[in-house]
Amino acid sequence: MRSVGALVAVGLALGAALGTALSSAAAVADTPTGDDGGRAPWVVGPALLKPMTKEIFSHLRERAPMVPEPKIESRNLAQEVQLFCSGAGVDTPDVLSMTRRMGVSEFQLCVKNGVADIIEVQVGMEALVLARRKQDADLPMTFDTFYRAIAAELPKGDDFLPNTAQTWHDLDPRLPKTEISVMVPSRATFSRPYFDNRFLQGACREIFEFKNIYSAEERVAQCIGLRRDGRVLELGLPITPETILAAMNKAPRGTVIVLSMRYAMEMADTFKVLPLEGVVPDRTTVSHQDYPATRSVVYYVKRAHVKDHAGNGPVLGLREFITEMTRESAIGDTGYLVQLGLVPLPEAKRAEVRRSALALSPMSR
């Protein structure tokens, strides 16, 4: 006879499974259905890319009105990948958008769950930039200087001591004696994992003392810890030009903000971007990845969900979606996605992406 504890555990497991099933069923029920019974496209991805995804479908539905209105939703990255890779059935999303390429472990999760044929479409580039108000002084930056300005603790001898730097001049005599104040993406945003990896851990890898911390978990925790003395602020959700401006209006004069290049371009009348490692972020330096804080904008599509040329397949509009987002009118030098902040790839790379996507060529890892 089973113990009460075992029965409770079984009950909890069944409840969790039922909850997952009901959640998936509800998600599918909320997804529109086309006139011929096929399901409308279902896209998951970061809030940053939601306007781009909507714009692609807007242009697509002008060309092909029979494509139903898609379901586009944002969760945290781990949930999005988990949901996309949970299986190839119509109760799972068809498209995953990301501001980086899918990792090996993520791809293996997809394959393990039967999502083997995935079409990878890199539509362009994005970047995280450092910016200040236009009236503030120029402030050329390096990863090392920026890190030493915001880290909670810095190495000194055989120990790590609280960061006491007050001005940028304290860190680099070539910089002005203005107070250190930095606004970073909060942990609730999609930009924070990339910020932690590129701006914090990227800088730590070049500091000798961090290499003496043998535990990877302790090393990362030490590396990504930020000051709590009021010099490091967080920009939370929702992120819009209005909320960015409101946050900066409350911040100390001269604050450096870390934000998506999309917003920096959109608010060019308010902000100026700062050089990083001697490179000014613009469409050319980001497109060619000369600017050191670039990232890819990629869409992943389940090939099993795409209708074939005979019209067989579970989801309407996916083939047309792939065609639309690879058009020059979308991702070319003057494409409509560029107006939303996407940095176009070089022409030869765009042609390569287009050929592979239109052939529905599956990715490999």
Side-chain angles (χ1 to χ4, degrees):
M1 188 173 185
R2 292 185 179 181
S3 68
V4 173
L7 290 172
V8 170
V10 170
L12 290 173
L14 289 173
L18 178 60
T20 301
L22 290 174
S23 176
S24 295
V28 175
D30 288 342
T31 306
T33 302
D35 293 337
D36 67 354
R39 179 169 64 68
W42 179 9
V43 184
V44 293
L48 175 70
L49 298 184
K50 203 168 186 178
M52 292 189 185
T53 304
K54 286 184 174 181
E55 192 72 8
I56 294 169
F57 274 106
S58 174
H59 282 76
L60 169 57
R61 297 186 76 234
E62 287 180 5
R63 301 177 193 272
M66 73 289 298
V67 175
E69 189 74 32
K71 177 180 180 179
I72 305 171
E73 60 180 0
S74 298
R75 310 184 182 196
N76 70 51
L77 179 59
Q79 289 176 334
E80 290 166 357
V81 173
Q82 185 74 33
L83 189 59
F84 179 80
C85 291
S86 62
V90 292
D91 58 343
T92 63
D94 316 302
V95 181
L96 170 67
S97 63
M98 299 179 74
T99 51
R100 61 169 174 78
R101 295 192 67 199
M102 184 181 289
V104 173
S105 62
E106 293 164 335
F107 178 69
Q108 290 173 344
L109 175 64
C110 276
V111 173
K112 176 184 176 182
N113 291 328
V115 189
D117 288 344
I118 304 172
I119 304 160
E120 181 182 58
V121 186
Q122 182 184 358
V123 296
M125 302 296 295
E126 223 278 317
L128 273 187
V129 302
L130 306 179
R132 299 182 96 186
R133 286 182 170 276
K134 279 202 163 183
Q135 60 266 36
D136 294 332
D138 289 337
L139 197 64
M141 198 67 64
T142 66
F143 281 117
D144 183 71
T145 299
F146 185 74
Y147 178 75
R148 292 178 186 275
I150 63 176
E153 297 181 335
L154 294 173
K156 188 170 184 179
D158 296 329
D159 205 353
F160 283 83
L161 301 178
N163 189 347
T164 59
Q166 302 294 307
T167 72
W168 294 103
H169 187 78
D170 294 339
L171 302 167
D172 185 337
R174 296 169 296 181
L175 297 180
K177 294 181 179 180
T178 53
E179 293 286 320
I180 293 171
S181 177
V182 177
M183 186 172 293
V184 303
S186 84
R187 298 193 182 280
T189 66
F190 292 95
S191 294
R192 186 55 178 262
Y194 180 71
F195 171 77
D196 284 353
N197 181 64
R198 188 66 188 91
F199 284 79
L200 303 182
Q201 295 188 62
C204 287
R205 284 191 284 269
E206 302 301 321
I207 299 175
F208 175 78
E209 289 82 358
F210 281 94
K211 299 175 183 178
N212 292 329
I213 305 176
Y214 295 107
S215 166
E217 185 176 347
E218 292 179 12
R219 185 168 58 249
V220 171
Q222 179 70 57
C223 182
I224 67 174
L226 300 180
R227 300 175 72 159
R228 296 184 177 181
D229 56 0
R231 294 191 179 276
V232 178
L233 313 170
E234 287 198 349
L235 177 65
L237 295 173
I239 298 178
T240 65
E242 292 74 23
T243 58
I244 292 170
L245 190 56
M248 285 294 281
N249 283 340
K250 295 179 182 178
R253 182 179 177 182
T255 294
V256 174
I257 184 171
V258 182
L259 74 166
S260 162
M261 184 168 169
R262 168 196 160 191
Y263 292 117
M265 292 171 61
E266 189 173 340
M267 304 177 72
D269 58 335
T270 302
F271 296 116
K272 60 180 176 183
V273 294
L274 305 179
L276 181 60
E277 298 293 344
V279 181
V280 177
D282 58 30
R283 287 179 179 171
T284 300
T285 58
V286 172
S287 174
H288 293 275
Q289 299 186 57
D290 296 325
Y291 178 70
T294 61
R295 51 184 179 171
S296 301
V297 177
V298 189
Y299 284 83
Y300 292 95
V301 183
K302 292 176 181 172
R303 185 173 179 175
H305 289 199
V306 178
K307 285 184 177 291
D308 61 24
H309 290 295
N312 301 311
V315 180
L316 295 167
L318 286 184
R319 185 183 292 272
E320 293 81 0
F321 174 69
I322 293 171
T323 299
E324 179 62 35
M325 70 175 160
T326 56
R327 294 179 186 275
E328 277 295 287
S329 60
I331 61 173
D333 292 335
T334 59
Y336 58 79
L337 294 183
V338 174
Q339 309 310 314
L340 292 179
L342 183 76
V343 178
L345 298 169
E347 185 176 2
K349 178 64 175 177
R350 295 199 301 270
E352 177 187 330
V353 167
R354 186 176 300 112
R355 284 194 298 271
S356 177
L358 295 181
L360 305 185
S361 301
M363 65 182 283
S364 60
R365 277 286 187 270

